[in-house]
Amino acid sequence: MVSICDHSNPGTREGFILVSKAPPKRTRLKAERSSDGKREGRDGNGNGEARRAELADFLNARRAALQPADVGLPGGGRRRTPGLRREEVASLAGVGTTWYTWLEQGRDVRASLDVLEALARALKLRPAERAHLVTLGRGEQAPPPPPEREHVSATVRRLVENLDPSPAYLLGRRWDYLVWNRAVEVVFGDLCALPPGRRNHLWLMFMDPGRRELLGPEWEKAARRQVARFRADYANHVGDPQFDKLVDSLLEGSSEFRDWWSRHEVASSGEGRKEILHPMAGKLVFEHAMFRHGENPEHRLLLYSPLPDEDTPARLERLLRQA
């Protein structure tokens, strides 16, 4: 059966409550003047109106830069203007369309940090863009982004479970194990015994002595190839604190990782052959392949198929019976 231990990163809160329903005033083009004659925004900090106008332009530009397919929405035919519609962004972020429209119109509203985080996710903002959005929306430095919870549907969980007796697992955007079946536990070890932050495919490859022993003389080749594949994925998340945290921990803890990471080698994922030196079952030989999820391309399914070499199917069956 599929693992039921907590193998998700702590998630952000979902759902938002907007306290005020009164329509805000429109931002006036001419700023108010304080008693000493200085130009002043309505929030009294000297740049409120300018920030709201900049926020409106930024939201509009980022919305126009996205296509429906970028966020998993149907195209819906020809559109009068490029990009997403306002109601689509509002729906993706879980806020009201009217309230989001006020933000794009530069009205005098102050969005909560939760709402801005939701808009950043809906608009697929990179870390620097997210920080810029929070600064414009709240006039303060953005806090570190919360760890993103990666959702796995019940359908995918059942699919992984039903792939027994072939080992199968689903990796997330940072190569964290999200779901795995019983065969993975008996071949590679009990992932539930690890703290959530250490249930990571790359970290285990370099920092877990048991994983290194399983691969035996093939470890170096496999580990170097994983670094090159992870480097290709990392390019899409440069500056992401969660990725940087993982890389920093490996740079500190593994001389091999430091060496190979510095070489900037890049490789794509695909198919391969793997020999496992299992402490109970002996040598197991598998073919493996990677499949990306159509609805979430950053999620990848790894499936190991036992080969007849070394009588692997029979050995694997005995191992599952004994576990």
Side-chain angles (χ1 to χ4, degrees), residues 4-285:
I4 58 174
C5 70
D6 178 17
H7 40 73
S8 297
N9 289 329
T12 57
R13 289 180 292 134
E14 298 179 353
F16 310 100
I17 299 175
L18 303 179
V19 177
S20 174
K21 297 182 179 179
K25 298 178 181 179
R26 291 181 179 273
T27 298
R28 284 176 281 181
L29 296 178
K30 182 178 180 181
E32 296 181 351
R33 292 186 179 271
S34 61
S35 58
D36 60 2
K38 295 180 180 179
R39 292 176 64 83
E40 182 178 32
R42 290 190 57 82
D43 58 4
N45 67 0
N47 64 355
E49 281 194 23
R51 280 196 299 101
R52 290 194 295 274
E54 185 72 12
L55 174 63
D57 288 344
F58 180 67
L59 289 172
N60 187 280
R62 298 312 305 147
R63 177 170 61 83
L66 284 175
Q67 298 302 316
D70 296 333
V71 294
L73 295 176
R78 182 175 297 178
R79 297 185 172 219
R80 291 181 298 175
T81 57
L84 300 179
R85 301 185 178 98
R86 284 173 173 171
E87 58 267 26
E88 290 171 335
V89 175
S91 176
L92 290 168
V95 301
T97 301
T98 300
W99 196 83
Y100 174 75
T101 300
W102 291 339
L103 285 178
E104 277 206 13
Q105 290 175 342
R107 297 201 185 193
D108 190 1
V109 294
R110 181 174 169 83
S112 71
L113 182 59
D114 281 343
V115 168
L116 293 175
E117 295 282 12
L119 288 174
R121 292 191 295 271
L123 293 169
K124 303 290 186 181
L125 300 187
R126 295 183 178 273
E129 294 172 326
R130 167 197 167 270
H132 184 61
L133 175 66
V134 173
T135 300
L136 293 177
R138 296 188 58 78
E140 59 193 39
Q141 185 175 359
E148 181 180 346
R149 182 175 183 178
E150 299 190 84
H151 175 71
V152 181
S153 69
T155 298
V156 173
R157 290 178 183 274
R158 285 191 294 269
L159 183 150
V160 173
E161 177 181 356
N162 291 336
L163 287 172
D164 266 329
S166 295
Y169 52 83
L170 188 75
L171 295 181
R173 55 197 288 270
R174 201 189 67 150
W175 291 25
D176 294 305
Y177 289 96
L178 301 181
V179 177
W180 58 90
N181 61 11
R182 181 168 169 265
V184 167
E185 294 189 343
V186 300
V187 172
F188 295 101
D190 185 6
L191 295 173
C192 283
L194 299 170
R198 294 308 185 201
R199 295 175 199 151
N200 180 274
H201 192 58
L202 189 64
W203 191 90
L204 288 173
M205 174 63 81
F206 284 91
M207 305 303 291
D208 179 29
R211 185 63 61 95
R212 189 178 295 224
E213 291 175 3
L214 283 175
L215 295 177
E218 295 293 318
W219 178 86
E220 181 173 341
K221 179 181 178 181
R224 185 168 179 174
R225 186 168 57 245
Q226 278 200 16
V227 173
R229 289 173 176 172
F230 186 80
R231 170 71 79 173
D233 286 349
Y234 177 78
N236 295 316
H237 300 280
V238 173
D240 187 316
Q242 295 303 309
F243 276 75
D244 290 343
K245 181 180 179 180
L246 173 61
V247 171
D248 289 345
S249 69
L250 289 168
L251 289 172
E252 181 180 353
S254 171
S255 59
E256 295 103 334
F257 183 85
R258 284 195 300 273
D259 180 18
W260 297 331
W261 187 254
S262 67
R263 300 187 186 194
H264 288 264
E265 295 172 337
V266 177
S268 60
S269 298
E271 303 173 354
R273 172 188 169 100
K274 183 160 294 186
E275 295 183 359
I276 303 294
L277 304 180
H278 196 275
M280 294 177 57
K283 182 182 286 189
L284 303 173
V285 185

